Amino acid sequence: MGTKKRNMLIKRGDSTFDKILAHYINPEHFPLTETNTDILNRLNEVFALRLNHFSSQQIVNKWVNEKGISQAQAYIDIRNSEKLFGNVLKADVEGSRVVWLEYTRDFLKRCKQKGDKNNEAKALKMMADYGGFANEDNPEFNAEKFENMEIHVNVDKQVQAKLLEMLSGGSVDLNNLNVTDIDFEELKTDEYEDDDQ
């Protein structure tokens, strides 16, 4: 079974990134060469620099000057690091949003303690705006259901009189209405057409 798993993870012609990813999944079965270990160390360094708020350009400049790596290779390493560890910038934005919401909750708590209703309302509005509550779409919510649509129904005068009589609380015998038969044509689906031919 181990051989099958190994064959599924890494194949002939796989890129260095694929080999590093396989190493992360199962380091015992996928040892890295010295070159691949150096590349993995660079990917780890990119991740650490991103956590310290380095921009892509700053990392590229640092590596071109300190490591003698080409700009193209530095950008490839940044891209592969983000593929391996996730995009730090997206996580950073989400983390900042969470910190902002915590500050807002603290602000709300202090406003409640002081009885400051105006700022309490502002804090609630900030929580809704920046917490993403206003932007979340509920897939079950259908705004069209709440629209005030005007529906027109055309009915015969006789039927209209009977319906009004029903609505006023009386009982109505609908069997006495003059009903007109409408001609219809039976439609066949493709399935039935194939059987007839």
Side-chain angles (χ1 to χ4, degrees):
M1 175 133 171
T3 308
K4 283 185 180 178
K5 188 172 185 180
R6 180 184 170 106
N7 290 337
M8 288 181 349
L9 289 175
I10 197 164
K11 299 176 278 305
R12 183 177 297 195
D14 278 349
S15 68
T16 303
F17 178 77
D18 294 329
K19 293 173 185 173
I20 291 172
L21 185 59
H23 175 75
Y24 258 90
I25 294 170
N26 194 343
E28 294 171 4
H29 283 100
F30 303 105
L32 295 176
T33 64
E34 188 177 331
T35 305
N36 288 347
T37 303
D38 290 342
I39 293 171
L40 176 59
N41 289 338
R42 289 200 318 253
L43 299 183
N44 286 325
E45 189 176 345
V46 168
F47 184 65
L49 291 171
R50 284 295 207 176
L51 288 175
N52 287 316
H53 308 290
F54 273 65
S55 70
S56 296
Q57 190 60 51
Q58 288 173 319
I59 294 170
V60 169
N61 291 340
K62 178 179 174 64
W63 284 11
V64 167
N65 295 333
E66 293 178 9
K67 297 180 186 286
I69 294 174
S70 70
Q71 283 189 352
Q73 184 59 53
Y75 279 113
I76 289 170
D77 287 346
I78 292 168
R79 183 197 66 211
N80 286 339
S81 177
E82 288 179 354
K83 280 172 49 179
L84 188 61
F85 300 112
N87 190 327
V88 178
L89 297 176
K90 289 179 186 172
D92 190 43
V93 168
E94 183 63 22
S96 298
R97 190 173 71 84
V98 170
V99 170
W100 170 261
L101 286 173
E102 287 305 314
Y103 286 146
T104 308
R105 284 188 183 97
D106 184 54
F107 177 56
L108 176 65
K109 185 173 109 179
R110 285 184 282 130
C111 290
K112 283 187 174 189
Q113 288 171 347
K114 292 180 181 178
D116 187 354
K117 298 288 183 189
N118 289 336
N119 284 326
E120 187 178 330
K122 288 178 185 176
L124 288 171
K125 181 167 178 13
M126 285 191 319
M127 285 176 73
D129 290 345
Y130 299 109
F133 302 120
N135 300 335
E136 288 183 10
D137 292 333
N138 184 353
E140 296 176 11
F141 176 73
N142 185 358
E144 292 177 2
K145 288 183 180 179
F146 294 104
E147 287 180 11
N148 188 12
M149 297 189 333
E150 206 171 298
I151 301 172
H152 298 279
V153 180
N154 295 329
V155 293
D156 187 65
K157 294 227 185 247
Q158 271 187 326
V159 175
Q160 184 179 3
K162 297 289 184 182
L163 288 174
L164 288 172
E165 189 178 326
M166 276 177 45
L167 291 173
S168 64
S171 61
V172 176
D173 184 10
L174 296 176
N175 292 326
N176 295 336
L177 288 176
N178 183 11
V179 178
T180 307
D181 286 334
I182 299 174
D183 293 333
F184 70 95
E185 179 182 337
E186 187 173 333
L187 299 175
K188 294 182 181 180
T189 61
D190 293 338
E191 181 181 314
Y192 294 120
E193 288 176 5
D194 292 341
D195 292 342
D196 293 341
Q197 294 176 351

